[in-house]
Amino acid sequence: MKRLIEASHEEAKAHFLKCSSYFNGDFPKYISFEPVLAGVAAVLNGEQFTGFQSSKPAILPGVNYSFLANKDGRFAWRPYELMHPAIYVSLVNLICTEENWFFIKGRVSQFEQGAVTCCSSPVISLDHQTDQATQIRSWWQSIEQQSLIYSLEYSHVLHTDVTDCYGSLYTHSIAWALHGLEEAKQKPNDKSLLGNNIDFHIRSSRYGQTNGISQGSVLMDFIAELVLGYVDECITSALTISDDVQILRYRDDYRIFANSDDRAEEVLKIASDALRGVGMKLGVPKTYMCTNVVEGSIKPDKLAGIELRDLGDSNAKTIQKQLLRLHAFGRRFPNSGALRRLTSEFHSKLATQTEPPDDLEVQIAIATDIALVSPVTIPVVAGMLSHLISLAPQQNKARMWDKVHRKMQRVPHNGYLEVWLQRVIAPRSIGLQFQSEEPICRIANGGTPQLWENDWISSEALKSALNVANIIVDNPADMQEIVQPEEVAVFKQNAWEY
């Protein structure tokens, strides 16, 4: 594992241009944006997008492609954005020049000298683990373990986080973060300032908006870390005394360690003021104090998940009972990391079931509802369903998938769910034609809907590189009927350490 900021500018550029960095969620393996990114990078040849435009993209809506992932099966959604590849690659070219990358590394090193310890600096995997799995491991080592160590020194830990961090970030604050508030304010339109140029790229892809950055890529995670690092610096400046507190930050989550309620709340106010300066505010519902640091250092869902890890040897000896326990856990801790780990482990166990059980449709019904209650589990539950329905007689498979699809369609505005339903329903052996209005699904079906607004581009070569058909690197109908655990697992070993 290596921190991204420790990489060379060439290594950083290669990392940002990976498909898993462009979108850091889970897509079926027949979907890859790497061919488009590589084609666009070849056309731009290290240059900025402005040399390939006939008009300004900022005047057009829909330059980025936005789609939704449902968070609770009802009315809470997480908006993902696939940044326009031409602007994305242009931004990578800008950030990853030798000079600019050296400058950014120096600025980050200044952020790290303050009272706030950042535990979410993006990392690069150096082994077989995915970058996402490596980031999770980094969280465990830096946040959870260090929190437990602080229990020797502090009696109180205050938890808080930022409400809608990416959606509320003020893009002009990127220049403040890189160059300091005074210089950035004096040169608000000076493109020679790297921060202004980064701001320009982001606003060009988002209809000129100064509020918010796109969510879903490692590059935007990195930009957010720059702004939050600047906030860390502001917090340090405002602390007249800092040797009686410790602050850990993982992205937009803060843990403030102190020896009294008053001191922890005083530091909380300082953090709130600093965040408000860049357009962010703390979330009151997730702000709470714990007077036992050991207890407060471990997330409740993880503690409950450890207790539930033994799904079959004691209280739940049948698959149905184990599924019901998972379902109950999901109702208690929806969309939690522990639930995702539990479902991943259960998927591996379920894959050993080779004979159709008498209660097959009951198992399918419970598994489907787990995904509706906690949509974060959709990729894993899709794998579970693919295995369960594969055990049904051939004449019953289409009927069962149709029932699952109809129930899943009740979840409003969930393009992410549709993408994974296509993965498990589309294989030729199922015998169903998967239909969806989600543009990515339509592309997988051979259509050519528009993902990104390209009318601002003058270069035909660049438009050709943006051909959406290139994101489909295999035929969904040729996929195996059963989704194997490794196709949807975030990480495969030592998961319960993290």
Side-chain angles (χ1 to χ4, degrees), residues 326-342:
L326 271 179
H327 185 276
F329 186 88
R331 295 285 291 180
R332 186 180 172 194
F333 300 106
N335 290 310
S336 61
L339 178 63
R340 187 163 181 167
R341 288 192 295 271
L342 285 166

Side-chain angles (χ1 to χ4, degrees), residues 76-91:
W77 299 288
R78 171 171 291 154
Y80 288 117
E81 281 186 41
L82 299 177
M83 195 173 190
H84 194 288
I87 299 177
Y88 180 90
V89 173
S90 176
L91 183 52

Side-chain angles (χ1 to χ4, degrees), residues 23 25-31 340 375 377-383 401 414-426 434 441 483 487-489:
F23 178 68
D26 298 307
F27 270 149
K29 61 183 180 181
Y30 54 79
I31 297 174
R340 187 163 181 167
T377 65
I378 282 168
V380 178
V381 172
W401 275 124
N414 198 339
Y416 189 53
L417 181 151
E418 288 287 303
V419 168
W420 275 101
L421 277 178
Q422 182 174 44
R423 162 62 186 94
V424 291
I425 292 178
F434 183 84
C441 295
V483 178
E487 188 176 339
V488 292

Side-chain angles (χ1 to χ4, degrees), residues 1 23-24 33 73 108 153 161 195 202 215 233 237 284-285 288 333 353 360 380 382-383 388 432:
M1 175 173 59
F23 178 68
N24 53 18
F33 291 89
V108 170
E153 304 174 59
D161 73 354
I202 293 172
Q215 185 170 346
E233 188 177 63
S237 298
V284 175
Y288 63 95
F333 300 106
Q353 184 176 244
L360 180 60
V380 178
L388 288 170
L432 280 177

Side-chain angles (χ1 to χ4, degrees), residues 56-78:
K56 295 181 178 181
I59 66 174
L60 297 172
V63 173
N64 290 349
Y65 174 65
S66 299
F67 68 105
L68 294 172
N70 196 288
K71 294 174 67 176
D72 64 355
R74 300 189 68 202
F75 308 121
W77 299 288
R78 171 171 291 154

